Amino acid sequence: MAAKGDVPAALASVTIPPATLHRFVDEEDLPSRLSPLRDVFPALRFDPVLAATVRALVVASEAGADELYAQSAAQFIAAHLLAPHTDGARMPAGALSSLQLETVFSYMRENLGCPVSLDDLASLVSFSRFHFVRCFKAATGSTPYRYLTELRIDLSRKYLESGNDTIARIGQRCGFSGPEHFSRSFRRVMGCTPSQYRAMRT
């Protein structure tokens, strides 16, 4: 980043775990349409969305943001880096800005234990439900529901690993409507049930 006037330049480095990148590629069924990962990053081109995201990460880190915040940001950055290269298309008109995305992400993180509807999320950025879903997926590579579910699963894993709450109570604390919903969602994301995960981690 070039310095302007007397303002010193600042350099921030963010490392995205390869597993995060490969998980996005696998979930979106992209391997057949992508060259090797090292060839798809726009390393020499200024990216305002990526720059804004990294700035937000630095501020959040200095404010003491937890690991869940970093994981959310990593998922977004992976989607942003990879998804635009799948067909060469630009973001659709009216796509969510980095500020709008962070507004939505913050609301999700702050309400993981509460019911969150598409209307709730769309109203944050003054979009219709349909337009919000389309623009959110264009920006992140994921639907709002799947993204929120993965955040809830990440939180539930921490409770399963470190707490003594029942499976049902953990599911409730993480915003799932009931034990079956929690177990089904957990298995879909993690490949095992919450009780199996707890047994492996304790």
Side-chain angles (χ1 to χ4, degrees), residues 141-159:
S142 174
T143 66
Y145 177 78
R146 186 171 70 181
Y147 193 95
L148 178 60
T149 297
E150 291 184 353
L151 289 180
R152 286 173 165 160
I153 294 300
D154 283 342
L155 179 60
S156 74
R157 288 167 55 197
K158 294 182 179 181
Y159 290 140

Side-chain angles (χ1 to χ4, degrees), residues 31 86 107 134 140 147 149:
T86 58
Y107 183 87
R134 182 170 63 88
T140 67
Y147 193 95
T149 297

Side-chain angles (χ1 to χ4, degrees), residues 10 18 20 22 24 27 35 59 66 69-70 90 94 104 110-111 123 132 154 156-158 162 177 183 190 198 200:
T20 299
H22 285 286
F24 176 81
E27 288 179 352
S35 56
V59 172
D66 60 14
Y69 184 98
R90 291 181 175 273
V104 173
E110 292 166 6
N111 293 276
S123 68
F132 172 72
D154 283 342
S156 74
R157 288 167 55 197
K158 294 182 179 181
S162 60
S177 59
S183 183
M190 298 301 300
R198 169 173 271 175
M200 290 186 293

Side-chain angles (χ1 to χ4, degrees), residues 64-164:
D66 60 14
E67 184 181 352
L68 185 60
Y69 184 98
Q71 290 172 350
S72 301
Q75 291 172 3
F76 167 70
I77 291 172
H80 178 71
L81 288 173
L82 295 173
H85 297 272
T86 58
D87 57 9
R90 291 181 175 273
M91 286 280 192
L96 294 169
S97 68
S98 58
L99 179 59
Q100 288 173 319
L101 280 170
E102 184 50 41
T103 298
V104 173
F105 293 158
S106 294
Y107 183 87
M108 287 181 172
R109 289 191 296 269
E110 292 166 6
N111 293 276
L112 290 178
C114 308
V116 176
S117 70
L118 276 177
D119 287 331
D120 293 332
L121 299 175
S123 68
L124 294 172
V125 292
S126 301
F127 280 10
S128 69
R129 291 176 61 183
F130 174 79
H131 190 54
F132 172 72
V133 171
R134 182 170 63 88
C135 291
F136 186 94
K137 185 164 186 180
T140 67
S142 174
T143 66
Y145 177 78
R146 186 171 70 181
Y147 193 95
L148 178 60
T149 297
E150 291 184 353
L151 289 180
R152 286 173 165 160
I153 294 300
D154 283 342
L155 179 60
S156 74
R157 288 167 55 197
K158 294 182 179 181
Y159 290 140
L160 289 167
E161 292 172 9
S162 60
N164 296 315

